[in-house]
Amino acid sequence: SPTMPAKTVQNPDRRTTGGRAAFEFGWTGGTVATVGADLQQNEHSLRSTMNQDAMPYQSLARIDDAWFRSIGAFGEINQPLGARDRLVAGMRLDDWEARDERETLRVGMAMMPNPTAGETRRTTLPSGFARLEHEVAGQPATLFAGLGHVQRFPDYWELVSAGKESEDSLSAFDTDPEKTTQFDTGVLYAGSRLSASVSAFYSDVDDYILIQSGYLKGMRSVTVTRNVDARTWGGEADATYAFAPRWQVIGTLAWTRGENDTD
C-alpha cells in the first residue's frame, strides 16, 4: 500500500525423510494380503522479511518453526467371494507427533510470545475401508460399492504457516484432526478400444479443517484455522477411446458440491 510500500517475503523450507516397507502374501484360491509400515518426518524452517529491498530474505538465517512425525501400520486383503465377486478391505493406524518451535508470533507490526511455544501434540488416528466388487457376466465391466473412514492430522499449512490463529488464541496449533466417512459406488468398463468409469460419492466430515480469511477478532481482521462440520458429494465420469493403433482420445467430467453444516 502507499503507506507501506515495501515488499514482504516468506520463504518456508521443509526437509522430509521417511521410508516404507510392505509384504505381500498369496494363498490358493486367489486371496492376497498386504501388510506393512511407513514413517515420515518433516522438519520445517522459515526465513521472512518485512522489507525485501532493505533486508533481503536470502541474507537471513533460517529459524526452525515446526516438526512433524508420523509412524503408520497398515494391512489390506483382496478376498474372492465366488466366480465374479470379491471383497477388498484394509485398515491403518497412524501415530502422529508434532511440535511447535515458534517462540514468537507476528501480530500486525509487533512480535508477541507464542502461547503454544514448545508444545508437543501426540495422537493415534485409525482409518479403514471395505469395498465389494462384482464382475458383470458376459461384459468387461465391474460394479463396485465401498465405505471408508479416514482421520487426518492437520498439516503445517493449517497449524503453523503464515501466523494462522485460532478463534480464541494467537496460535492454531490446537486444531482438531479431520474425520471423514465416505460412501462410493460406480462401474468400471475395460473393452478392447474403449475403457470408461462412472462413479458417485457422498461424504460426511466431522471437524473439517477450514482456513478462513477476514475473521474479525476485536478490531483485527485475521486468518484463522477452525473446525466445522461439513458434507461433500458428487460424481465423476471418464473415458478413453483408441480410435487408431497409436492414437486415443481421453475425456473426463466431474462435479462436486460441499456444504458447511456448522455455519
Coordinates of all heavy atoms in Angstrom, one line a residue, residues 51-145:
N51 N 10.8 -6.1 4.6 CA 11.3 -5.2 3.6 C 12.3 -5.9 2.8 O 13.5 -5.9 3.1 CB 11.8 -3.9 4.3 CG 12.1 -2.8 3.3 OD1 12.5 -3.1 2.2 ND2 12.0 -1.6 3.8
Q52 N 12.0 -6.4 1.7 CA 12.9 -7.2 0.8 C 14.0 -6.4 0.3 O 15.1 -6.8 0.1 CB 12.1 -7.9 -0.3 CG 13.0 -8.6 -1.3 CD 13.8 -9.8 -0.8 OE1 13.5 -10.3 0.3 NE2 14.7 -10.2 -1.6
D53 N 13.7 -5.1 -0.1 CA 14.8 -4.3 -0.6 C 15.8 -3.9 0.4 O 17.0 -3.9 0.1 CB 14.1 -3.0 -1.2 CG 13.2 -3.3 -2.4 OD1 13.5 -4.3 -3.1 OD2 12.2 -2.6 -2.6
A54 N 15.4 -3.6 1.6 CA 16.4 -3.2 2.6 C 17.0 -4.4 3.3 O 18.2 -4.3 3.7 CB 15.7 -2.3 3.6
M55 N 16.3 -5.5 3.5 CA 16.8 -6.6 4.2 C 16.3 -7.9 3.4 O 15.3 -8.5 3.8 CB 16.2 -6.7 5.6 CG 16.8 -7.8 6.5 SD 16.1 -7.7 8.2 CE 16.7 -6.2 8.8
P56 N 17.0 -8.3 2.4 CA 16.6 -9.4 1.5 C 16.6 -10.7 2.3 O 17.5 -10.9 3.2 CB 17.6 -9.4 0.4 CG 18.8 -8.7 0.9 CD 18.3 -7.6 1.9
Y57 N 15.6 -11.5 2.1 CA 15.5 -12.8 2.8 C 16.6 -13.7 2.6 O 16.9 -14.5 3.5 CB 14.1 -13.5 2.5 CG 14.1 -14.2 1.2 CD1 14.5 -15.5 1.1 CD2 13.7 -13.5 0.0 CE1 14.5 -16.2 -0.1 CE2 13.7 -14.2 -1.2 CZ 14.1 -15.5 -1.3 OH 14.1 -16.2 -2.5
Q58 N 17.3 -13.6 1.5 CA 18.4 -14.5 1.2 C 19.6 -14.3 2.2 O 20.4 -15.3 2.3 CB 18.9 -14.3 -0.3 CG 17.9 -14.6 -1.3 CD 17.1 -13.4 -1.8 OE1 16.9 -12.5 -1.0 NE2 16.6 -13.5 -3.0
S59 N 19.7 -13.2 2.8 CA 20.7 -12.9 3.7 C 20.4 -13.3 5.2 O 21.3 -13.2 6.0 CB 21.1 -11.4 3.7 OG 20.0 -10.6 4.2
L60 N 19.2 -13.8 5.4 CA 18.8 -14.1 6.8 C 18.9 -15.6 7.0 O 18.9 -16.4 6.2 CB 17.3 -13.7 6.9 CG 17.0 -12.2 6.7 CD1 15.4 -12.0 6.8 CD2 17.7 -11.3 7.6
A61 N 19.1 -15.9 8.3 CA 19.2 -17.3 8.8 C 17.9 -17.9 8.9 O 16.9 -17.2 9.2 CB 20.0 -17.3 10.1
R62 N 17.8 -19.2 8.6 CA 16.5 -19.9 8.8 C 16.3 -20.2 10.3 O 17.2 -20.5 11.0 CB 16.6 -21.2 8.0 CG 16.6 -21.0 6.5 CD 16.3 -22.3 5.8 NE 16.2 -22.1 4.3 CZ 15.0 -21.7 3.8 NH1 14.0 -21.5 4.5 NH2 15.0 -21.5 2.5
I63 N 15.0 -20.1 10.7 CA 14.6 -20.4 12.0 C 13.6 -21.5 12.0 O 12.6 -21.5 11.3 CB 14.0 -19.1 12.7 CG1 15.0 -18.0 12.7 CG2 13.5 -19.4 14.1 CD1 14.4 -16.7 13.2
D64 N 13.9 -22.6 12.8 CA 13.0 -23.7 12.9 C 11.7 -23.3 13.5 O 11.6 -22.5 14.5 CB 13.6 -24.8 13.8 CG 14.9 -25.4 13.2 OD1 15.0 -25.4 12.0 OD2 15.7 -26.0 14.0
D65 N 10.6 -23.7 12.8 CA 9.3 -23.3 13.3 C 8.3 -24.5 13.6 O 7.3 -24.3 14.3 CB 8.6 -22.3 12.4 CG 8.4 -22.8 10.9 OD1 8.9 -23.9 10.7 OD2 7.8 -22.1 10.1
A66 N 8.6 -25.7 13.1 CA 7.7 -26.8 13.4 C 8.4 -28.1 13.0 O 9.3 -28.2 12.2 CB 6.4 -26.7 12.6
W67 N 8.0 -29.2 13.7 CA 8.5 -30.5 13.5 C 7.3 -31.5 13.5 O 6.5 -31.4 14.4 CB 9.5 -30.9 14.5 CG 10.1 -32.2 14.5 CD1 11.2 -32.7 13.8 CD2 9.6 -33.4 15.2 NE1 11.4 -34.0 14.0 CE2 10.4 -34.5 14.9 CE3 8.5 -33.6 16.1 CZ2 10.3 -35.8 15.4 CZ3 8.3 -34.9 16.6 CH2 9.2 -36.0 16.2
F68 N 7.2 -32.4 12.5 CA 6.1 -33.4 12.4 C 6.7 -34.7 12.2 O 7.7 -34.9 11.5 CB 5.2 -33.1 11.2 CG 4.3 -31.8 11.3 CD1 4.9 -30.6 11.2 CD2 3.0 -32.0 11.6 CE1 4.1 -29.5 11.3 CE2 2.2 -30.9 11.7 CZ 2.7 -29.6 11.6
R69 N 6.1 -35.8 12.8 CA 6.5 -37.1 12.5 C 5.3 -38.1 12.6 O 4.4 -37.9 13.4 CB 7.5 -37.6 13.6 CG 8.2 -38.9 13.3 CD 8.2 -39.8 14.5 NE 6.9 -40.1 15.0 CZ 6.7 -40.5 16.3 NH1 7.6 -40.5 17.2 NH2 5.4 -40.8 16.7
S70 N 5.2 -39.0 11.6 CA 4.1 -40.0 11.6 C 4.7 -41.4 11.4 O 5.6 -41.5 10.6 CB 3.1 -39.6 10.6 OG 3.6 -39.8 9.3
I71 N 4.2 -42.3 12.2 CA 4.5 -43.7 12.0 C 3.2 -44.5 11.8 O 2.3 -44.4 12.6 CB 5.2 -44.3 13.2 CG1 6.5 -43.5 13.5 CG2 5.5 -45.8 13.1 CD1 7.2 -44.0 14.8
G72 N 3.1 -45.2 10.7 CA 1.9 -45.9 10.3 C 2.1 -47.3 10.1 O 3.1 -47.8 9.6
A73 N 1.0 -48.1 10.4 CA 1.0 -49.5 10.1 C -0.3 -49.8 9.4 O -1.4 -49.3 9.7 CB 1.0 -50.4 11.4
F74 N -0.2 -50.7 8.4 CA -1.4 -50.9 7.5 C -1.5 -52.3 7.1 O -0.5 -53.1 7.1 CB -1.3 -50.0 6.3 CG -0.1 -50.1 5.4 CD1 0.0 -51.1 4.4 CD2 1.0 -49.4 5.7 CE1 1.1 -51.2 3.6 CE2 2.2 -49.5 4.9 CZ 2.2 -50.5 3.9
G75 N -2.7 -52.7 6.7 CA -3.0 -54.0 6.1 C -4.1 -54.0 5.2 O -5.1 -53.2 5.3
E76 N -4.1 -54.8 4.1 CA -5.1 -54.8 3.1 C -5.3 -56.3 2.6 O -4.3 -57.0 2.5 CB -4.8 -53.9 1.9 CG -5.9 -53.9 0.9 CD -5.6 -52.9 -0.2 OE1 -5.2 -51.8 0.1 OE2 -5.8 -53.2 -1.4
I77 N -6.5 -56.7 2.3 CA -6.8 -58.0 1.9 C -7.7 -57.9 0.7 O -8.6 -57.1 0.6 CB -7.4 -58.9 3.0 CG1 -7.5 -60.3 2.5 CG2 -8.8 -58.4 3.4 CD1 -7.8 -61.3 3.6
N78 N -7.4 -58.8 -0.3 CA -8.3 -58.9 -1.5 C -8.8 -60.4 -1.5 O -8.0 -61.3 -1.7 CB -7.5 -58.7 -2.8 CG -8.3 -58.6 -4.0 OD1 -9.2 -59.4 -4.2 ND2 -8.0 -57.6 -4.9
Q79 N -10.1 -60.5 -1.2 CA -10.7 -61.9 -1.0 C -11.7 -62.2 -2.0 O -12.8 -61.6 -2.0 CB -11.3 -61.9 0.4 CG -12.0 -63.2 0.8 CD -11.1 -64.4 0.8 OE1 -10.1 -64.4 1.5 NE2 -11.4 -65.4 0.0
P80 N -11.5 -63.2 -2.9 CA -12.6 -63.6 -3.8 C -13.8 -64.2 -3.0 O -13.6 -64.9 -2.0 CB -11.9 -64.7 -4.6 CG -10.4 -64.4 -4.5 CD -10.2 -63.9 -3.1
L81 N -15.0 -63.9 -3.5 CA -16.2 -64.4 -2.8 C -17.0 -65.2 -3.8 O -18.2 -65.2 -3.7 CB -17.0 -63.2 -2.4 CG -16.4 -62.3 -1.3 CD1 -17.3 -61.1 -1.0 CD2 -16.0 -63.0 0.0
G82 N -16.4 -65.8 -4.7 CA -17.1 -66.6 -5.8 C -16.4 -66.3 -7.1 O -15.4 -65.7 -7.2
A83 N -17.1 -66.7 -8.2 CA -16.6 -66.6 -9.5 C -16.4 -65.2 -10.0 O -15.5 -64.8 -10.7 CB -17.4 -67.4 -10.5
R84 N -17.4 -64.3 -9.5 CA -17.4 -63.0 -10.1 C -17.4 -61.9 -9.0 O -17.6 -60.7 -9.3 CB -18.6 -62.8 -11.0 CG -18.5 -63.6 -12.3 CD -19.5 -63.1 -13.3 NE -20.9 -63.2 -12.9 CZ -21.7 -64.2 -13.0 NH1 -21.3 -65.3 -13.7 NH2 -22.9 -64.1 -12.6
D85 N -17.3 -62.2 -7.7 CA -17.4 -61.3 -6.6 C -16.1 -61.3 -5.8 O -15.4 -62.3 -5.7 CB -18.6 -61.5 -5.7 CG -19.9 -61.4 -6.5 OD1 -20.1 -60.4 -7.1 OD2 -20.6 -62.4 -6.4
R86 N -15.7 -60.2 -5.2 CA -14.6 -60.1 -4.3 C -14.8 -59.0 -3.3 O -15.5 -58.0 -3.6 CB -13.3 -60.0 -5.1 CG -13.1 -58.7 -5.9 CD -11.8 -58.7 -6.6 NE -11.7 -57.6 -7.6 CZ -12.0 -57.8 -8.8 NH1 -12.4 -59.0 -9.3 NH2 -11.9 -56.8 -9.7
L87 N -14.1 -59.1 -2.2 CA -14.1 -58.1 -1.2 C -12.7 -57.6 -1.0 O -11.7 -58.3 -1.0 CB -14.5 -58.7 0.2 CG -14.3 -57.8 1.4 CD1 -15.3 -56.6 1.4 CD2 -14.5 -58.7 2.7
V88 N -12.5 -56.3 -1.0 CA -11.3 -55.6 -0.8 C -11.4 -54.8 0.4 O -12.4 -53.9 0.5 CB -10.8 -54.7 -2.0 CG1 -9.5 -54.1 -1.7 CG2 -10.8 -55.5 -3.3
A89 N -10.6 -55.0 1.4 CA -10.7 -54.2 2.7 C -9.3 -53.9 3.3 O -8.4 -54.6 3.0 CB -11.5 -55.0 3.7
G90 N -9.2 -52.9 4.0 CA -8.0 -52.5 4.6 C -8.1 -51.6 5.8 O -9.2 -51.0 6.0
M91 N -7.1 -51.5 6.6 CA -7.1 -50.5 7.7 C -5.7 -50.1 8.0 O -4.7 -50.7 7.6 CB -7.8 -51.1 9.0 CG -7.0 -52.3 9.6 SD -7.8 -52.8 11.1 CE -7.7 -51.3 12.1
R92 N -5.5 -48.9 8.7 CA -4.2 -48.5 9.1 C -4.4 -47.7 10.4 O -5.4 -47.1 10.7 CB -3.5 -47.7 8.0 CG -4.2 -46.4 7.6 CD -3.3 -45.6 6.6 NE -2.0 -45.2 7.2 CZ -0.8 -45.3 6.6 NH1 -0.7 -45.9 5.5 NH2 0.2 -44.9 7.2
L93 N -3.3 -47.6 11.1 CA -3.1 -46.8 12.3 C -1.9 -45.9 12.1 O -0.9 -46.3 11.7 CB -2.9 -47.6 13.6 CG -4.1 -48.4 14.1 CD1 -3.7 -49.3 15.3 CD2 -5.2 -47.4 14.6
D94 N -2.1 -44.6 12.4 CA -1.1 -43.6 12.3 C -0.8 -42.9 13.6 O -1.7 -42.3 14.2 CB -1.4 -42.5 11.3 CG -1.4 -43.1 9.8 OD1 -0.3 -43.3 9.3 OD2 -2.5 -43.2 9.2
D95 N 0.4 -43.0 14.1 CA 0.8 -42.3 15.3 C 1.5 -41.0 14.9 O 2.5 -41.0 14.3 CB 1.8 -43.2 16.1 CG 2.2 -42.6 17.4 OD1 1.4 -42.6 18.4 OD2 3.3 -42.0 17.5
W96 N 0.8 -39.9 15.3 CA 1.3 -38.6 14.9 C 1.9 -37.9 16.1 O 1.4 -37.9 17.2 CB 0.1 -37.8 14.4 CG -0.2 -38.0 13.0 CD1 -1.1 -38.9 12.5 CD2 0.4 -37.4 11.8 NE1 -1.1 -38.9 11.1 CE2 -0.2 -38.0 10.7 CE3 1.3 -36.4 11.7 CZ2 0.1 -37.6 9.4 CZ3 1.7 -36.0 10.4 CH2 1.0 -36.6 9.3
E97 N 3.0 -37.1 15.8 CA 3.6 -36.2 16.8 C 4.0 -35.0 16.1 O 4.6 -35.0 15.0 CB 4.8 -36.9 17.5 CG 5.3 -36.1 18.7 CD 6.4 -36.9 19.4 OE1 6.7 -38.1 19.0 OE2 7.0 -36.4 20.4
A98 N 3.7 -33.8 16.7 CA 4.0 -32.5 16.2 C 4.5 -31.6 17.3 O 4.0 -31.7 18.4 CB 2.8 -31.9 15.4
R99 N 5.5 -30.7 16.9 CA 6.0 -29.8 17.9 C 6.0 -28.4 17.3 O 6.5 -28.2 16.2 CB 7.4 -30.2 18.4 CG 8.0 -29.3 19.5 CD 9.3 -30.0 20.0 NE 10.3 -30.1 19.0 CZ 10.8 -31.3 18.6 NH1 10.2 -32.4 19.0 NH2 11.7 -31.3 17.7
D100 N 5.5 -27.4 18.1 CA 5.5 -26.0 17.7 C 6.8 -25.4 18.2 O 7.0 -25.3 19.4 CB 4.3 -25.3 18.3 CG 4.2 -23.9 17.8 OD1 5.1 -23.4 17.1 OD2 3.1 -23.2 18.1
E101 N 7.7 -25.0 17.3 CA 9.0 -24.5 17.7 C 9.1 -23.0 17.5 O 10.2 -22.4 17.6 CB 10.1 -25.2 16.8 CG 10.1 -26.7 17.0 CD 11.2 -27.4 16.2 OE1 11.6 -26.9 15.2 OE2 11.7 -28.4 16.7
R102 N 8.0 -22.3 17.3 CA 8.0 -20.8 17.2 C 8.0 -20.2 18.6 O 7.1 -20.5 19.4 CB 6.8 -20.4 16.4 CG 6.6 -20.9 15.0 CD 5.3 -20.6 14.4 NE 4.2 -21.3 15.2 CZ 2.9 -21.0 15.1 NH1 2.5 -20.2 14.2 NH2 2.0 -21.7 15.9
E103 N 8.9 -19.4 18.9 CA 9.0 -18.7 20.2 C 8.1 -17.4 20.2 O 7.5 -17.1 21.2 CB 10.4 -18.3 20.5 CG 11.4 -19.5 20.7 CD 12.8 -19.1 21.1 OE1 13.0 -17.8 21.2 OE2 13.6 -20.0 21.3
T104 N 8.0 -16.8 19.0 CA 7.2 -15.5 18.9 C 6.3 -15.6 17.7 O 6.6 -16.4 16.8 CB 8.1 -14.3 18.9 OG1 8.9 -14.4 17.7 CG2 8.9 -14.1 20.2
L105 N 5.3 -14.8 17.7 CA 4.4 -14.6 16.6 C 4.2 -13.2 16.2 O 4.2 -12.3 17.1 CB 3.0 -15.2 16.9 CG 2.9 -16.7 17.3 CD1 1.5 -17.0 17.7 CD2 3.3 -17.6 16.2
R106 N 4.1 -12.9 14.9 CA 3.9 -11.5 14.5 C 2.4 -11.2 14.5 O 1.6 -11.9 13.9 CB 4.4 -11.3 13.1 CG 4.3 -9.9 12.6 CD 4.9 -9.6 11.2 NE 6.4 -9.8 11.3 CZ 7.2 -8.8 11.7 NH1 6.7 -7.7 12.1 NH2 8.5 -9.1 11.8
V107 N 2.1 -10.1 15.2 CA 0.7 -9.6 15.3 C 0.7 -8.2 14.8 O 1.2 -7.3 15.6 CB 0.1 -9.7 16.7 CG1 -1.3 -9.2 16.8 CG2 0.2 -11.1 17.2
G108 N 0.3 -7.9 13.6 CA 0.5 -6.6 13.0 C 1.9 -6.3 12.8 O 2.7 -7.1 12.2
M109 N 2.4 -5.2 13.4 CA 3.8 -4.8 13.3 C 4.6 -5.3 14.5 O 5.8 -5.0 14.6 CB 3.9 -3.3 13.1 CG 3.3 -2.8 11.9 SD 4.1 -3.5 10.4 CE 5.7 -2.7 10.5
A110 N 3.9 -5.9 15.5 CA 4.6 -6.3 16.8 C 4.8 -7.8 16.8 O 4.2 -8.6 16.1 CB 3.7 -5.8 17.9
M111 N 5.8 -8.2 17.6 CA 6.1 -9.6 17.9 C 5.5 -9.9 19.3 O 5.8 -9.2 20.3 CB 7.6 -9.8 17.8 CG 8.2 -9.5 16.5 SD 7.4 -10.5 15.1 CE 7.9 -12.2 15.6
M112 N 4.8 -11.0 19.4 CA 4.1 -11.4 20.6 C 4.6 -12.8 21.0 O 4.9 -13.6 20.1 CB 2.6 -11.4 20.5 CG 2.0 -10.1 20.1 SD 2.1 -8.9 21.4 CE 0.9 -9.5 22.6
P113 N 4.7 -13.2 22.3 CA 5.0 -14.5 22.7 C 4.0 -15.5 22.1 O 2.8 -15.3 22.1 CB 5.0 -14.5 24.2 CG 5.1 -13.0 24.6 CD 4.5 -12.3 23.5
N114 N 4.5 -16.7 21.7 CA 3.7 -17.7 21.1 C 3.1 -18.5 22.3 O 3.8 -19.1 23.1 CB 4.5 -18.6 20.2 CG 3.7 -19.8 19.7 OD1 2.5 -19.8 19.8 ND2 4.4 -20.8 19.1
P115 N 1.7 -18.6 22.4 CA 1.1 -19.3 23.6 C 1.4 -20.8 23.5 O 1.2 -21.5 24.5 CB -0.3 -18.9 23.5 CG -0.5 -18.5 22.0 CD 0.7 -17.9 21.6
T116 N 1.7 -21.3 22.3 CA 2.0 -22.8 22.2 C 3.4 -23.1 21.9 O 3.8 -24.2 21.4 CB 1.1 -23.4 21.2 OG1 1.3 -22.7 19.9 CG2 -0.4 -23.3 21.5
A117 N 4.3 -22.2 22.3 CA 5.8 -22.4 22.0 C 6.3 -23.6 22.8 O 6.0 -23.8 24.0 CB 6.6 -21.2 22.5
G118 N 7.0 -24.5 22.0 CA 7.5 -25.7 22.6 C 6.5 -26.8 22.9 O 6.8 -27.9 23.4
E119 N 5.2 -26.6 22.6 CA 4.2 -27.6 22.9 C 4.3 -28.7 21.9 O 4.5 -28.5 20.7 CB 2.8 -26.9 22.8 CG 1.6 -27.8 23.1 CD 0.3 -27.1 23.1 OE1 0.2 -26.0 23.7 OE2 -0.6 -27.6 22.4
T120 N 4.1 -29.9 22.4 CA 4.1 -31.2 21.6 C 2.7 -31.8 21.6 O 2.1 -32.0 22.7 CB 5.2 -32.1 22.1 OG1 6.5 -31.5 22.0 CG2 5.2 -33.4 21.3
R121 N 2.2 -32.2 20.5 CA 1.0 -32.9 20.3 C 1.3 -34.3 19.9 O 2.1 -34.6 19.0 CB 0.1 -32.3 19.3 CG -0.4 -30.9 19.7 CD -1.4 -30.4 18.6 NE -2.5 -31.3 18.4 CZ -3.5 -31.1 17.5 NH1 -3.5 -30.0 16.8 NH2 -4.4 -32.0 17.4
R122 N 0.5 -35.3 20.4 CA 0.7 -36.7 20.0 C -0.7 -37.4 20.0 O -1.4 -37.2 21.0 CB 1.7 -37.4 20.9 CG 1.9 -38.9 20.4 CD 3.1 -39.5 21.1 NE 3.4 -40.8 20.6 CZ 4.4 -41.6 21.0 NH1 5.2 -41.2 21.9 NH2 4.5 -42.8 20.4
T123 N -1.0 -38.1 19.0 CA -2.3 -38.8 18.9 C -2.2 -39.9 17.9 O -1.3 -39.9 17.0 CB -3.4 -37.8 18.4 OG1 -4.7 -38.5 18.5 CG2 -3.2 -37.3 17.0
T124 N -3.0 -40.9 18.1 CA -3.1 -42.1 17.1 C -4.4 -42.0 16.4 O -5.5 -42.0 17.1 CB -2.9 -43.4 17.9 OG1 -1.7 -43.4 18.6 CG2 -3.0 -44.6 17.0
L125 N -4.4 -42.1 15.1 CA -5.6 -42.0 14.3 C -5.8 -43.2 13.5 O -4.9 -43.7 12.8 CB -5.5 -40.8 13.4 CG -5.2 -39.4 14.0 CD1 -5.1 -38.3 13.0 CD2 -6.3 -39.1 15.0
P126 N -7.0 -43.8 13.5 CA -7.4 -45.0 12.7 C -8.1 -44.6 11.4 O -8.7 -43.6 11.3 CB -8.3 -45.8 13.7 CG -9.1 -44.7 14.4 CD -8.1 -43.5 14.6
S127 N -7.9 -45.5 10.4 CA -8.6 -45.4 9.2 C -8.9 -46.8 8.6 O -8.2 -47.7 9.0 CB -7.7 -44.6 8.1 OG -7.4 -43.3 8.6
G128 N -9.9 -46.9 7.8 CA -10.2 -48.2 7.2 C -11.2 -48.1 6.1 O -11.9 -47.0 6.0
F129 N -11.3 -49.1 5.3 CA -12.3 -49.2 4.2 C -12.7 -50.6 3.9 O -11.9 -51.5 4.2 CB -11.8 -48.5 3.0 CG -10.8 -49.3 2.2 CD1 -11.3 -50.1 1.1 CD2 -9.5 -49.5 2.5 CE1 -10.4 -50.9 0.3 CE2 -8.6 -50.3 1.8 CZ -9.1 -51.0 0.7
A130 N -13.8 -50.8 3.2 CA -14.2 -52.1 2.7 C -15.0 -51.8 1.4 O -15.8 -50.8 1.3 CB -15.1 -52.8 3.7
R131 N -14.7 -52.6 0.3 CA -15.3 -52.4 -1.0 C -15.7 -53.7 -1.6 O -14.9 -54.7 -1.6 CB -14.3 -51.7 -1.9 CG -14.9 -51.4 -3.3 CD -14.0 -50.6 -4.2 NE -12.8 -51.3 -4.6 CZ -11.6 -51.1 -4.2 NH1 -11.3 -50.2 -3.4 NH2 -10.6 -51.8 -4.7
L132 N -16.9 -53.8 -2.0 CA -17.4 -55.0 -2.7 C -17.3 -54.8 -4.2 O -17.7 -53.7 -4.7 CB -18.8 -55.3 -2.3 CG -19.0 -56.0 -0.9 CD1 -20.5 -56.0 -0.6 CD2 -18.4 -57.4 -0.9
E133 N -16.8 -55.8 -5.0 CA -16.7 -55.7 -6.4 C -17.5 -56.9 -7.1 O -17.4 -58.0 -6.6 CB -15.3 -55.6 -6.9 CG -14.5 -54.4 -6.3 CD -13.1 -54.4 -6.7 OE1 -12.6 -55.4 -7.4 OE2 -12.3 -53.5 -6.4
H134 N -18.2 -56.6 -8.2 CA -18.9 -57.6 -8.9 C -18.6 -57.5 -10.4 O -18.8 -56.4 -11.0 CB -20.4 -57.5 -8.7 CG -21.2 -58.5 -9.5 ND1 -21.3 -59.8 -9.2 CD2 -22.0 -58.2 -10.6 CE1 -22.1 -60.4 -10.1 NE2 -22.5 -59.4 -11.0
E135 N -18.1 -58.6 -11.0 CA -17.8 -58.6 -12.4 C -19.1 -59.0 -13.2 O -19.6 -60.1 -12.9 CB -16.7 -59.6 -12.8 CG -15.3 -59.1 -12.1 CD -14.2 -60.1 -12.4 OE1 -14.5 -61.1 -13.2 OE2 -13.1 -59.9 -11.9
V136 N -19.5 -58.2 -14.1 CA -20.8 -58.4 -14.8 C -20.6 -59.6 -15.8 O -19.6 -59.6 -16.6 CB -21.2 -57.2 -15.6 CG1 -22.5 -57.4 -16.4 CG2 -21.4 -56.0 -14.6
A137 N -21.5 -60.5 -15.8 CA -21.4 -61.7 -16.7 C -21.5 -61.3 -18.1 O -22.4 -60.5 -18.5 CB -22.5 -62.7 -16.3
G138 N -20.5 -61.8 -18.9 CA -20.6 -61.5 -20.4 C -20.1 -60.1 -20.8 O -20.2 -59.8 -22.0
Q139 N -19.7 -59.3 -19.8 CA -19.3 -57.9 -20.2 C -17.9 -57.6 -19.5 O -17.7 -58.1 -18.3 CB -20.3 -56.9 -19.7 CG -21.7 -57.0 -20.4 CD -21.6 -56.6 -21.8 OE1 -20.7 -55.8 -22.2 NE2 -22.5 -57.2 -22.7
P140 N -17.1 -56.8 -20.1 CA -15.8 -56.4 -19.4 C -16.1 -55.3 -18.4 O -15.4 -54.2 -18.5 CB -14.9 -56.0 -20.6 CG -15.9 -55.5 -21.6 CD -17.1 -56.3 -21.5
A141 N -17.0 -55.5 -17.5 CA -17.4 -54.4 -16.6 C -17.4 -54.9 -15.2 O -17.7 -56.1 -14.9 CB -18.8 -53.9 -17.0
T142 N -17.1 -54.0 -14.2 CA -17.1 -54.3 -12.8 C -17.9 -53.2 -12.1 O -17.7 -52.0 -12.2 CB -15.7 -54.3 -12.3 OG1 -14.9 -55.3 -13.0 CG2 -15.7 -54.6 -10.8
L143 N -18.9 -53.7 -11.3 CA -19.6 -52.8 -10.4 C -18.9 -52.8 -9.0 O -18.4 -53.8 -8.6 CB -21.1 -53.3 -10.2 CG -21.9 -53.5 -11.5 CD1 -23.2 -54.1 -11.2 CD2 -22.0 -52.2 -12.2
F144 N -19.0 -51.7 -8.3 CA -18.3 -51.6 -7.0 C -19.1 -50.7 -6.1 O -19.8 -49.7 -6.5 CB -16.9 -51.2 -7.1 CG -16.7 -49.8 -7.5 CD1 -16.6 -48.7 -6.5 CD2 -16.5 -49.4 -8.8 CE1 -16.5 -47.4 -6.9 CE2 -16.3 -48.1 -9.2 CZ -16.3 -47.1 -8.3
A145 N -19.0 -50.9 -4.8 CA -19.5 -50.1 -3.8 C -18.6 -50.2 -2.6 O -18.2 -51.3 -2.2 CB -21.0 -50.4 -3.4

